[in-house]
Amino acid sequence: MAYVDGFVAAVPKANREAYLRAARAGAKMFLEWGATRVVETWEDDVPDGKITDLRRAVAAKADEAIVFSWIEYPDKATREAVQKKMIESPEMGAMEMPYDMGRMIFGGFETLFAAD
């Protein structure tokens, strides 16, 4: 089954278009390197929780939106190869990220099942 990298970040609302440009450029590279799908989402209905929530998880400020994104790979080995290419890529290194990457949370996940 697929292997998935998941991401949650806070992006200044004013940087939505810049984020979209960077995400599209990154997605193009990930797909060329072996990812099978890249999904980027922008908050629409992200409620505040009583104990924890997505906004607190990334220390979002009032002028920031939550993005939830994932990259799908055929397997973990492909994901690791893509990550290596990402680290070594001069294009990726030159990209300006329109948000504070230090507050992004991410991780790799083994797929248990998928329902379509």
Side-chain angles (χ1 to χ4, degrees), residues 10 54-61 64 103:
L54 289 169
R55 298 192 69 72
R56 281 186 263 196
V58 293
K61 299 171 185 160
E64 293 177 322
R103 291 185 287 133

Side-chain angles (χ1 to χ4, degrees), residues 2-113:
Y3 195 83
V4 177
D5 273 335
F7 308 87
V8 177
V11 178
K13 293 174 185 175
N15 291 354
R16 180 180 169 134
E17 291 306 313
Y19 178 82
L20 190 53
R21 282 191 302 275
R24 283 187 172 137
K28 182 178 179 195
M29 287 184 261
F30 295 135
L31 292 167
E32 288 174 1
W33 295 334
T36 56
R37 185 174 186 221
V38 177
V39 178
E40 292 285 346
T41 66
W42 189 267
E43 83 168 57
D44 178 56
D45 181 16
V46 178
D48 292 336
K50 291 184 180 184
I51 297 173
T52 190
D53 57 45
L54 289 169
R55 298 192 69 72
R56 281 186 263 196
V58 293
K61 299 171 185 160
D63 66 339
E64 293 177 322
I66 302 301
V67 295
F68 172 57
S69 309
W70 65 93
I71 304 171
E72 297 176 10
Y73 303 95
D75 50 44
K76 188 174 181 181
T78 302
R79 179 259 202 160
E80 290 174 350
V82 170
Q83 283 190 330
K84 185 176 187 312
K85 289 178 182 179
M86 179 182 69
I87 292 167
E88 295 171 351
S89 168
E91 295 86 6
M92 194 62 97
M95 288 177 68
E96 284 192 43
M97 292 298 147
Y99 64 99
D100 179 0
M101 290 184 62
R103 291 185 287 133
M104 177 176 70
I105 58 174
F106 60 91
F109 299 86
E110 177 184 332
T111 301
L112 295 177
F113 75 92

